[in-house]
Amino acid sequence: MDEITGKPLLRSMIGEHIWRIKESDPVAFKREVREYFVRGYPGWTVVRAKYPYIFLRDDRGQNL
């Protein structure tokens, strides 16, 4: 459940090649995850990453 909207979050996944950089370069991991979902899920915001899932909030049409 999203703390901001109170709505359920979408669970999605990313490739293992992105997960592999999480521990060694967390900044690059966050950047790669955000870029991945900006292209594939416009209007959705990455909320958290907990292997093997990325949790997304639907911000389409919202002014948060």
Side-chain angles (χ1 to χ4, degrees):
M1 202 57 82
D2 181 47
E3 295 173 3
I4 294 174
T5 65
K7 294 181 182 177
L9 297 172
L10 173 71
R11 269 190 323 187
S12 191
M13 299 175 91
I14 54 174
E16 288 297 320
H17 67 283
I18 299 175
W19 281 112
R20 279 193 286 271
I21 65 173
K22 186 174 190 234
E23 297 301 318
S24 63
D25 193 346
V27 173
F29 173 76
K30 289 177 185 179
R31 181 184 62 244
E32 291 294 322
V33 169
R34 285 187 193 118
E35 289 176 4
Y36 180 90
F37 287 103
V38 162
R39 288 188 304 270
Y41 290 80
W44 291 75
T45 302
V46 175
V47 176
R48 82 177 155 265
K50 182 169 176 150
Y51 186 83
Y53 299 111
I54 302 295
F55 294 87
L56 305 166
R57 179 180 63 229
D58 184 0
D59 288 336
R60 297 172 295 174
Q62 307 229 353
N63 293 323
L64 295 177

